[in-house]
Amino acid sequence: MKHNIQVSVLGVQNAGDESAAILTKATGTYHFENGVHKINYCELDENGTATDNLLLLSGSEMRLSKSGSVAGQFLFVLGCKTVIDYLTPFGKIDFEVETESYHLDVKENNLNVQLKYRLYADSQLFSENTLTIQTYEDKNDGFRFINKARRNHL
């Protein structure tokens, strides 16, 4: 896979009565080192505020580090609960993350990730979430920058 890639991230959050979907498309970089797929990309929210993302993917776990307008380090391990301090413009939120399913599909020119997880705040279910990540070779050698975020309330 080339180092310059296109990244598509679809997140669906179900917080009880309300569901929301967020689709982000961006250019990024890809590296494979020591059995770990590393993906870096920047996403912009609807206000143009940037968040840098680093994904570390292996066959057994996924790590997501965010820095910028929101910050935190998520660890997704099947069958485990992990703890995160999530920093937002509105303050810090302590979450427990419970991974329900994780699947990484590696092909010659792309990666696909399917993740289902639950977030808990104060030992209470906060939301049930799915995350679908797809990467593709950047046909434009990484010189074209695409960065869109679209929010849909389901």
Side-chain angles (χ1 to χ4, degrees):
M1 190 181 303
K2 290 184 179 179
H3 288 336
N4 296 312
I5 59 171
Q6 295 292 319
V7 180
S8 173
V9 180
L10 174 61
V12 179
Q13 181 180 47
N14 184 346
D17 298 340
E18 203 175 299
S19 290
I22 300 171
L23 175 63
T24 300
K25 293 187 177 186
T27 56
T29 59
Y30 167 84
H31 300 282
F32 184 73
E33 186 178 326
N34 298 325
V36 176
H37 303 273
K38 298 178 182 182
I39 299 168
N40 285 290
Y41 67 97
C42 180
E43 63 183 312
L44 299 175
D45 66 16
E46 63 273 2
N47 299 318
T49 306
T51 301
D52 291 318
N53 295 276
L54 171 62
L55 281 169
L56 302 174
L57 308 167
S58 71
S60 62
E61 68 181 39
M62 179 177 121
R63 292 178 184 267
L64 172 60
S65 295
K66 293 180 159 289
S67 62
S69 61
V70 295
Q73 293 187 11
F74 291 84
L75 174 60
F76 302 96
V77 180
L78 193 57
C80 292
K81 276 190 179 179
T82 59
V83 177
I84 175 177
D85 293 331
Y86 194 54
L87 305 175
T88 74
F90 310 106
K92 184 178 96 161
I93 305 171
D94 295 323
F95 282 123
E96 283 184 294
V97 179
E98 180 181 32
T99 305
E100 182 180 329
S101 66
Y102 168 70
H103 179 72
L104 171 63
D105 185 25
V106 180
K107 303 237 171 146
E108 183 179 341
N109 296 321
N110 67 331
L111 296 174
N112 293 297
V113 175
Q114 296 289 323
L115 174 71
K116 289 184 181 181
Y117 65 98
R118 293 179 190 91
L119 289 179
Y120 295 88
D122 296 324
S123 300
Q124 299 294 314
L125 180 63
F126 181 79
S127 64
E128 295 180 302
N129 308 277
T130 60
L131 197 60
T132 303
I133 303 166
Q134 298 177 313
T135 67
Y136 303 95
E137 286 184 318
D138 189 346
K139 302 289 187 213
N140 296 304
D141 295 324
F143 294 114
R144 190 180 84 192
F145 186 78
I146 299 173
N147 194 325
K148 301 177 197 172
R150 185 173 69 211
R151 298 180 187 278
N152 293 320
H153 295 284
L154 304 173

